[in-house]
Amino acid sequence: MRCNHRIAWPVGAVTQLTVGVLSADAALVMQHQQQRSPEVDAVFDAVIVGAGFAGMYMLHRLRGLGFTARVYEAGGGVGGTWYWNRYPGARCDVESMQYSFSFSEELDQQWDWSEKYAPQPEILAYANHVADRFGLRQHIAFETRVTAASFDEVAKCWRIETDRGDRVAAKFCIMAVGCLSAANHVPFRGREDFRGALYHTGEWPHEGVDFTGLRVGVIGTGSSAIQSIPLIAQQASALTVFQRTATYSVPAWNAKLTPEYRNAIKADYPALRAKARARPTGFYFPFNMKPALEATPEERDRQYEEAWQRGGLPFLGAFGDLLFEKAANDTIAEFARNKIRTIVSDPATAELLCPENVFGCKRLCVDTGYFETYNLPHVKLVDVSKTPIERFTADGIEVNGTEYPLDAIVCATGFAAMTGSFDRIGITGRSGQTLAEKWRAGPRTYLGVATVGFPNLLTITGPGSPSVLASMIQAIEQHVDWMADCMAHMRDIGAATVEPIQAYQDEWVEHVNEVSKISLRSTCSSWYVGTNIPGRPRVFMPYIGGFPVYVQKCNEVMSNGFEGFVMEGAASGNEAPRVRLTERWRVPLDIEVISPAAVAAKRVPVV
Ligand code: FAD
Ligand code: NAP
């Protein structure tokens, strides 16, 4: 079986996958997916693993280029994050008018976001709309988990296996598995003894959960907990929050979007998209480059107050040095702590909620009424920082010899971030080497898109790319466009495989590590560095150099004939590509935000 041998998806199987598959009807999807027979010996140009925004856009691009592709998705529908995370209060924290695809002006014009930060059902509806509008669904096999992917060095293709018995081959194996998709199930002692209901925010029941009248425990105080706690508190008869590390959170000030606001953006949407791409974060918001340490205390307070009133992640844009100078960071941290002290009426609870670590070191949270929730008489905060959760009992959770009686426990314990979903697939490259083995001391990639020893394995928002430090849909689009351009170029020159060169990869990994050290973000324990999961190596995994800097690097690599990659088997040599580079990725540095001095000092602020 040759991977350059192109075949179509068998007609019978397509029928089974498409008939009656309506985005709103999960039961029908399940029924039809269950009827599907395993596919054996099919060959595609690409297999894409995951049907979140990354997998969907990759599929759309490849189909546009005439490639055959099959997507496997473990869930019963598209949307990834927004399919799985259905907990109360789940919503985006990058404004919806920017947290959306930008590749289609028509889509931008057609879709109306209802709120500044859209709730999960609306984002999921958007994902389904995209799937339908661009005819993606029939190429996706749902309820199908990829279990293994091995590179066949003779046929020069990937052999992919699923838990539904599929055994297919593809020239490219494209990982669109998500950075925050492998739920972290903490193996608490006695977990199976608990007689109540147990939930993880990242795997929330589709039918929803009614907590009315129940005693509920929430473990964790990250973004998922902070969004869900105020809503769970509205239903529960008693709510106990188990906090290991206090979290900084900025109010969202979420609001309905008016038609006037939407229309003003839609009048020149491409301009907003272009401004967003030029920002280190991949999304646009007012940014004050002045260092906090050069401002007077009064100026600082005024500036922080203004930024607080705007709310959300842009709060970090109050000054230019907040993530680089500890003394500057101390000023914003104290401002945020004082806000907590003002909101929370019980001084002891307020102090417990005041974080001591660097502001914005862990991913900043954005909330609606989080701290206010602790003023409710039935809400209690339990500190597990020094005395960890001892065990689950039949009736609750035990900490420091005290049992907290509970009817339901919500684990808002996050994810095995960045590499967790890779670890759950047996990925084998050249000479039988596994990816798990290769990444044991931390992931190693070139540009976050590929890794030595695994030809034609492409990793969308892979470790070593801006990914989670940018607005992710923009990061996804940039990766997908770059990869699609690369694949089309390979077809042009008849290349069989693409693989990074070791020296270039080593240099990139070193650069990613070096740049991370200029940011205070590298100084604390967080999922950015993998330390939220015991036993993982401590490595700063995303690229913190800023989105435009990274995009320029990717562009240069492509313009220089995919410098740093080997393309094997090319009939006509690997000359510089007939520049396919998608025009919108010619991203200028935003000098308003990244001053030349900042670039020279590699001071590239990120959120
Ligand atoms: P995902 O959406 O994670 O999709 C990956 C898919 O791959 C999943 O559906 C999964 O089932 C599938 N998969 C994984 N392994 C396999 C396998 N072996 N076989 C088959 N399928 C597999 N980012 C922002 O920029 N702004 C936000 O406001 C924001 N809010 C977020 C809120 C929450 C609650 C969470 C958890 C994350 C948020 N993120 C946000 C990050 C978010 O993950 C990305 O924005 C984006 O949705 C990621 O898309 P993706 O397609 O790369 O990955
Ligand atoms: P998270 O930020 O990793 O938070 C997990 C929480 O669980 C932390 O408070 C952690 O404490 C706690 N925890 C983990 N293990 C524990 C243990 N054994 N005992 C006690 N506590 C434990 O996960 P998340 O909240 O799901 O968010 C992950 C990321 O997804 C976010 O950072 C963000 O990027 C994205 N997200 C975004 C939004 C949004 O607003 N749009 C919403 C949800 C998620 P420690 O801090 O001490 O480890």
Side-chain angles (χ1 to χ4, degrees):
M1 184 165 43
R2 302 291 305 175
C3 276
N4 55 8
H5 168 210
R6 296 171 56 186
I7 65 153
W9 181 252
V11 172
V14 171
T15 309
Q16 283 179 344
L17 282 166
T18 52
V19 174
V21 177
L22 303 170
S23 49
D25 195 336
L28 266 180
V29 174
M30 300 265 288
Q31 192 190 331
H32 285 281
Q33 293 294 325
Q34 274 155 10
Q35 286 167 1
R36 180 172 83 79
S37 357
E39 200 175 22
V40 181
D41 286 343
V43 184
F44 300 97
D45 291 319
V47 157
I48 300 166
V49 189
F53 287 127
M56 290 166 73
Y57 183 48
M58 188 83 234
L59 174 63
H60 173 64
R61 279 301 318 266
L62 294 189
R63 284 186 39 70
L65 287 165
F67 287 113
T68 58
R70 161 65 67 240
V71 181
Y72 291 114
E73 167 54 56
V78 296
T81 290
W82 305 102
Y83 173 87
W84 295 104
N85 290 262
R86 299 172 188 236
Y87 59 83
R91 58 179 70 244
C92 55
D93 60 4
V94 168
E95 292 188 21
S96 303
M97 295 291 289
Q98 298 195 56
Y99 184 68
S100 45
F101 281 125
S102 66
F103 69 85
S104 162
E105 171 70 2
E106 293 76 32
L107 177 64
D108 267 349
Q109 291 298 332
Q110 191 179 44
W111 187 263
D112 280 337
W113 292 107
S114 68
E115 296 177 48
K116 181 176 171 189
Y117 300 110
Q120 171 271 330
E122 191 171 332
I123 305 175
L124 185 59
Y126 173 78
N128 276 292
H129 170 76
V130 171
D132 293 334
R133 194 181 192 287
F134 295 98
L136 305 180
R137 214 175 286 279
Q138 73 219 57
H139 307 280
I140 307 173
F142 294 108
E143 302 265 309
T144 306
R145 183 170 286 281
V146 169
T147 50
S150 316
F151 185 66
D152 179 331
E153 293 188 60
V154 178
K156 300 214 182 304
C157 64
W158 283 89
R159 297 191 178 279
I160 287 129
E161 299 174 26
T162 76
D163 63 356
R164 297 284 297 269
D166 304 291
R167 302 281 178 272
V168 303
K171 178 167 172 174
F172 294 93
C173 180
I174 302 175
M175 292 295 171
V177 292
C179 297
L180 295 159
S181 55
N184 172 28
H185 292 285
V186 179
F188 290 109
R189 193 153 69 92
R191 208 167 63 156
E192 47 302 322
D193 299 339
F194 180 60
R195 286 186 304 207
L198 187 57
Y199 305 101
H200 190 288
T201 47
E203 294 171 353
W204 203 257
H206 289 200
E207 63 279 14
V209 180
D210 183 3
F211 290 111
T212 305
L214 300 184
R215 297 163 304 173
V216 183
V218 175
I219 303 174
T221 51
S223 298
S224 302
I226 275 182
Q227 286 188 327
S228 56
I229 282 169
L231 290 163
I232 295 174
Q234 284 176 16
Q235 291 188 330
S237 62
L239 173 63
T240 309
V241 177
F242 298 88
Q243 171 185 278
R244 188 165 67 182
T245 310
T247 315
Y248 294 104
S249 184
V250 180
W253 309 124
N254 189 31
K256 294 265 178 243
L257 292 183
T258 61
E260 293 73 33
Y261 179 86
R262 281 195 300 257
N263 291 342
I265 288 180
K266 287 185 182 189
D268 197 0
Y269 223 144
L272 175 65
R273 298 297 195 182
K275 281 199 308 189
R277 281 180 208 118
R279 285 304 179 91
T281 50
F283 67 104
Y284 182 80
F285 57 88
F287 202 106
N288 173 30
M289 273 306 291
K290 181 173 175 170
L293 294 180
E294 286 176 17
T296 63
E298 295 73 30
E299 247 181 293
R300 275 201 296 265
D301 275 352
R302 206 170 39 248
Q303 180 70 12
Y304 288 144
E305 189 57 43
E306 263 178 48
W308 187 268
Q309 293 312 326
R310 275 198 302 273
L313 299 176
F315 184 59
L316 260 170
F319 287 104
D321 54 354
L322 296 172
L323 285 170
F324 302 98
E325 299 289 350
K326 178 66 169 60
N329 193 280
D330 288 344
T331 65
I332 194 171
E334 191 54 16
F335 180 89
R337 281 191 288 265
N338 282 334
K339 284 289 182 191
I340 299 171
R341 291 176 186 126
T342 314
I343 298 168
V344 179
S345 27
D346 173 48
T349 306
E351 276 322 300
L352 214 50
L353 287 166
C354 281
E356 286 162 7
N357 55 11
V358 165
F359 185 93
C361 193
K362 285 175 186 268
R363 170 66 150 67
L364 185 59
C365 298
V366 177
D367 72 280
T368 298
Y370 172 65
F371 293 116
E372 289 83 347
T373 304
Y374 292 94
N375 292 334
L376 299 172
H378 66 297
V379 177
K380 184 190 194 79
L381 183 65
V382 175
D383 177 15
V384 295
S385 61
K386 292 170 198 77
T387 49
I389 290 173
E390 238 158 70
R391 61 184 183 116
F392 286 15
T393 64
D395 300 313
I397 286 181
E398 197 176 295
V399 179
N400 201 17
T402 302
E403 181 177 0
Y404 296 87
L406 301 167
D407 303 307
I409 297 174
V410 174
C411 294
T413 46
F415 303 89
M418 308 297 290
T419 56
S421 283
F422 288 91
D423 296 344
R424 294 174 190 187
I425 305 171
I427 303 173
T428 311
R430 284 192 199 280
S431 314
Q433 188 185 31
T434 65
L435 193 70
E437 178 58 40
K438 175 143 189 224
W439 286 5
R440 181 148 299 162
R444 299 186 71 81
T445 68
Y446 182 39
L447 301 176
V449 298
T451 186
V452 175
F454 298 78
N456 293 0
L457 180 78
L458 301 176
T459 52
I460 304 174
T461 62
S465 72
S467 59
V468 292
L469 294 176
S471 173
M472 280 208 70
I473 299 183
Q474 287 7 282
I476 285 167
E477 287 188 320
Q478 185 263 341
H479 261 193
V480 167
D481 286 339
W482 192 95
M483 289 171 188
D485 290 345
C486 172
M487 290 167 69
H489 173 64
M490 287 173 67
R491 184 171 58 187
D492 288 350
I493 64 170
T497 58
V498 61
E499 185 181 349
I501 296 167
Q502 188 72 54
Y504 282 80
Q505 176 169 296
D506 290 346
E507 200 182 314
W508 181 252
V509 171
E510 197 181 319
H511 174 65
V512 171
N513 290 334
E514 276 309 304
V515 175
S516 77
K517 289 182 196 151
I518 64 155
S519 167
L520 294 171
R521 275 225 169 97
S522 61
T523 59
C524 68
S525 240
S526 71
W527 58 258
Y528 292 133
V529 295
T531 50
N532 65 325
I533 308 290
R536 279 185 138 195
R538 188 190 171 97
V539 177
F540 197 90
M541 291 181 278
Y543 178 58
I544 206 166
F547 187 62
V549 173
Y550 173 81
V551 175
Q552 283 190 341
K553 171 72 183 171
C554 291
N555 291 352
E556 274 164 32
V557 165
M558 187 184 291
S559 304
N560 294 338
F562 292 93
E563 185 181 7
F565 289 93
V566 173
M567 286 189 181
E568 275 186 357
S572 54
N574 182 21
E575 71 275 11
R578 198 179 64 204
V579 174
R580 292 178 175 277
L581 195 69
T582 314
E583 196 55 39
R584 65 205 175 105
W585 295 115
R586 296 190 181 284
V587 174
L589 285 173
D590 187 339
I591 49 158
E592 270 177 51
V593 171
I594 307 173
S595 68
V599 175
K602 288 200 185 160
R603 293 199 164 195
V604 186
V606 289
V607 168

